[in-house]
Amino acid sequence: MRRREFIQVAAAAAAAARLVEASSLGRSKGAAGFDRYGGWTGRSFEPTGFFRVEKDDRWWLVTPDGNAFLSFGINHFYTDLWNQDYNREAWRKRLGVADESAPEYYPALRRWFLETCEEYGFNTVGVHTSMRVVNTPRPTLPYVQALPFVDIPHWRPEIPDENFVDVFAPEYVARCDAMVEERAAPIRKDPFLLGYYMTDCPLFTEEDCRERPDTIGGARRGSRIGWPRRLRNLPGTAPGKRVYVETVHELYEGQIASFNRTYGTDFGSFDALVAAANWRPETELSNPQETRDNLVFLRKAVEQYYRVGHDAIRRVDPDHMFLGDKINANTDTMDTVFDVTSRYTDLVFYQMYARYEVQKPGLDRWSKRVDKAFINGDSAFTMVTDTMPRPYGPIADDLEQRAAWTEEFFRSAFARPEFVGWHYCGLIDSPILVPRKWDRQHSGIIDGFGEPYPEIRKVLQSCTSEMYSIARGREGDG
C-alpha cells in the first residue's frame, strides 16, 4: 500500500472509530445510531410517545420514538454540594461566575452537569436531584420524578409514629391525589419523563425498622415502628385498625382464644380488639405467630399503599411508567414484598449497595419469581479518604479496586436479560466538610472541587461505550 493510501485508510479508520464511540455513548443529540433520548436505533419497537418497557430476547426500556434504551443514570445532583465553604470559590472559578446570586450561576452549573453526563456516558437523571436546575428551561435527558406519598425513608434516624399513615383511610387517598395534581399533572405530557417513583427505601419490615448503629444517617433513634405496629394500635375508628382485625380474625379462624394464647391477652372477642387502642406497642420478635401475623398484614398494607398511589397517578397520567418505591435490597424487604409491589409497577426499581457477586443471587432469585425489567436505582462503590472517613457503600482498598468493582458490576449486570438500568451514586464527593454529611459520606465520580478520578472516568467511558453490545452478548464489538 502506498503511503498516501495508508494515511487515507488510517484517517478513515480513526474517524470511524470516533463515530462508533460517539454513537455508542449517545453523547450528542442526533448522533448516528441514537435518537434524541439516547435510544439505540439498532433495535426498534412501536413508538408510543412515552418511555415504556418491552421484552424480546431480553428486557428493554423503549424511548418515546420506539428505540431500545438502557438507563445509566446519575444521582445526587444537590446544588448545595457545589456551594460549601471549602469549595465555593473553586466552583465559581470553574463555572466562570462571580457568585451564586448571579443570574448566570445556575445555567452555568446546568451546562457543566450536562457536559459531565456527556463525557461519562450518563443518559438519565436519577433520584435525589435538583430538577429545578436540571430541567430548566426544559428537560434534555430522561429523568425520574419523585412522588413521596409517605415520609418513611430508611436514611432518616428519627421518624415520628404518625409518618406511618393509615393507608386505608380516605384521607390518604386525598393526600395522594393532591400530590399527583401538584407534581405529576404539570409534566404528564413530557416525553423525557422516564417514570414516577415514590419513596426512597421505605421502612417496611422489622429488619428495616430495627435500631442499628451503622446506617446511612448514623445510629437509628426514635420511632421506627412500621405499619403493623402502628395500625394495630390505632383506635377502632381507624380503617387500618379494622383491616388489621379482619386479617387476624381470618388467620385465627374466628377463635379469639387462639389469638389470646399467641399474644398473652384476654380479649373477650375480636370486637374488643377493635376497640382496644395501644394494646401492643412492641413486637416480640421471638414469637413466630406474631411475626407471621405482622407479615401477612404488612403485605396487605403495602398492597394498599401501592394500589392507591398507582391509581392516583393513573387518573392524571395514564402514559408514563410507574416505578414504585426504590426498594431496599440490602435488607429483607425485596424478598418480603416485591412480588406484591410488582403487581402495580412497570418494572422493579430497587437499591442495593454490593458487589456483583453479592447482588447476583438476589437477581437470580427475584427474576425467577417476577418476569419484569430491573433497575438498580442507587448504588456505587466507595473508599475511605481523609475527609470521608465513613463513606456509604462497599468500601474498596484504593481507587484501582473501586474502579475494578465498578466495571465488574456494570458489565455483569447489563449482560443480564432482565437488567435495564443502573443509577450511579453519586456525582461529586460529599465529605465531612459538608455539615449534613458529618455522619455518613458519599464518594463521587469527581472530587468536591470538580477534579475527576481518572480511573473511574476511564472505566465508565469504556463501559458506556459498549453498553448495548454488552446487553446483546457481543461485548467488545463496539
Side-chain angles (χ1 to χ4, degrees):
M1 180 181 295
R2 295 178 180 176
R3 186 174 183 273
R4 181 185 298 274
E5 293 173 335
F6 175 82
I7 293 173
Q8 290 174 337
V9 170
R18 289 192 296 271
L19 179 60
V20 167
E21 180 184 49
S23 62
S24 295
L25 290 171
R27 289 176 177 165
S28 56
K29 298 290 185 297
F34 286 81
D35 67 23
R36 62 182 177 136
Y37 305 98
W40 175 53
T41 58
R43 183 150 303 180
S44 297
F45 304 91
E46 180 183 357
T48 64
F50 301 96
F51 276 95
R52 61 185 180 87
V53 289
E54 184 152 332
K55 183 180 182 182
D56 52 16
D57 56 330
R58 73 171 338 269
W59 279 101
W60 298 97
L61 295 166
V62 179
T63 68
D65 288 347
N67 296 307
F69 183 76
L70 298 172
S71 179
F72 186 50
I74 188 67
N75 296 342
H76 301 284
F77 179 66
Y78 284 131
T79 56
D80 71 309
L81 297 178
W82 282 257
N83 188 26
Q84 297 292 316
D85 290 343
Y86 83 97
N87 68 355
R88 184 175 295 114
E89 286 302 323
W91 281 101
R92 288 175 178 174
K93 183 177 181 180
R94 183 177 292 274
L95 298 176
V97 296
D99 59 57
E100 297 68 41
S101 64
E104 64 270 18
Y105 177 78
Y106 287 111
L109 183 58
R110 179 178 188 264
R111 283 194 300 273
W112 174 88
F113 171 76
L114 294 175
E115 288 168 359
T116 301
C117 288
E118 185 175 340
E119 178 183 3
Y120 283 79
F122 293 109
N123 62 10
T124 305
V125 182
V127 298
H128 315 307
T129 295
S130 177
M131 291 300 178
R132 178 178 65 87
V133 177
V134 172
N135 284 353
T136 302
R138 65 187 63 84
T140 58
L141 287 175
Y143 67 97
V144 294
Q145 172 65 46
L147 292 171
F149 297 129
V150 295
D151 186 18
I152 53 173
H154 74 132
W155 49 268
R156 288 196 193 281
E158 298 182 22
I159 294 180
D161 289 0
E162 56 267 23
N163 283 25
F164 295 92
V165 300
D166 188 347
V167 293
F168 298 94
E171 293 81 4
Y172 177 68
V173 177
R175 172 182 181 161
C176 293
D177 286 340
M179 185 175 292
V180 168
E181 283 293 335
E182 176 188 357
R183 301 192 185 190
I187 58 175
R188 66 183 183 274
K189 297 300 183 182
D190 187 353
F192 280 91
L193 174 61
L194 190 70
Y196 302 100
Y197 86 102
M198 297 192 295
T199 301
D200 179 20
C201 296
L203 303 176
F204 286 152
T205 68
E206 289 286 350
E207 171 64 16
D208 286 331
C209 293
R210 73 179 178 88
E211 293 182 2
R212 56 164 61 93
D214 186 29
T215 190
I216 198 167
R220 288 181 174 172
R221 303 175 295 276
S223 175
R224 304 169 73 93
I225 63 173
W227 268 317
R229 275 191 281 159
R230 166 69 171 165
L231 299 189
R232 75 184 181 185
N233 285 291
L234 293 178
T237 54
K241 175 63 172 288
R242 295 196 294 271
V243 174
Y244 171 80
V245 175
E246 291 169 3
T247 301
V248 294
H249 184 278
E250 181 178 351
L251 288 171
Y252 290 91
E253 298 179 335
Q255 302 298 311
I256 192 63
S258 180
F259 177 86
N260 285 333
R261 283 193 294 273
T262 292
Y263 291 91
T265 51
D266 58 357
F267 292 112
S269 65
F270 284 100
D271 287 339
L273 174 60
V274 171
N278 299 316
W279 68 277
R280 196 174 182 86
E282 301 297 330
T283 289
E284 185 181 325
L285 296 177
S286 61
N287 184 336
Q289 291 299 103
E290 182 174 8
T291 298
R292 178 208 62 176
D293 298 349
N294 284 352
L295 178 58
V296 172
F297 179 67
L298 172 66
R299 288 168 60 87
K300 283 190 176 183
V302 170
E303 180 155 17
Q304 175 72 2
Y305 161 57
Y306 265 69
R307 179 189 299 114
V308 172
H310 170 273
D311 291 352
I313 293 170
R314 286 289 173 261
R315 280 192 287 273
V316 170
D317 184 350
D319 300 309
H320 286 101
M321 291 192 294
F322 175 54
L323 310 183
D325 296 305
K326 182 154 62 68
I327 300 177
N328 195 345
N330 284 115
T331 68
D332 60 346
T333 299
M334 276 286 286
D335 285 303
T336 301
V337 302
F338 98 101
D339 58 330
V340 173
T341 63
S342 61
R343 297 171 195 165
Y344 299 91
T345 62
D346 291 284
L347 51 80
V348 178
F349 196 52
Y350 78 99
Q351 170 178 301
M352 191 174 190
Y353 285 83
R355 291 184 61 187
Y356 179 72
E357 63 188 26
V358 178
Q359 295 197 41
K360 181 181 184 301
L363 288 167
D364 289 345
R365 185 168 64 252
W366 304 322
S367 60
K368 289 178 182 176
R369 287 172 56 185
V370 172
D371 187 17
K372 295 266 186 179
F374 283 68
I375 292 178
N376 186 332
D378 203 12
S379 76
F381 305 98
T382 189
M383 64 183 187
V384 172
T385 69
D386 291 342
T387 59
M388 293 191 293
R390 289 188 73 231
Y392 189 73
I395 298 175
D397 293 335
D398 51 37
L399 189 57
E400 289 74 18
Q401 187 177 62
R402 183 184 166 207
W405 288 358
T406 300
E407 182 166 23
E408 173 190 51
F409 181 75
F410 190 107
R411 294 184 180 276
S412 300
F414 278 105
R416 300 181 63 97
E418 79 281 1
F419 197 85
V420 298
W422 178 19
H423 294 177
Y424 192 92
C425 169
L427 185 51
I428 72 171
D429 289 347
S430 53
I432 57 175
L433 301 173
V434 180
R436 66 183 177 88
K437 292 295 183 180
W438 180 259
D439 287 330
R440 211 66 192 263
Q441 303 85 47
H442 283 80
S443 293
I445 61 172
I446 61 176
D447 69 19
F449 301 97
E451 294 299 321
Y453 291 109
E455 293 87 346
I456 300 297
R457 180 172 60 185
K458 180 180 178 181
V459 159
L460 292 182
Q461 288 178 336
S462 172
C463 288
T464 54
S465 70
E466 298 181 47
M467 183 163 62
Y468 289 92
S469 299
I470 293 168
R472 291 179 290 148
R474 299 171 59 186
E475 186 173 349
D477 70 355

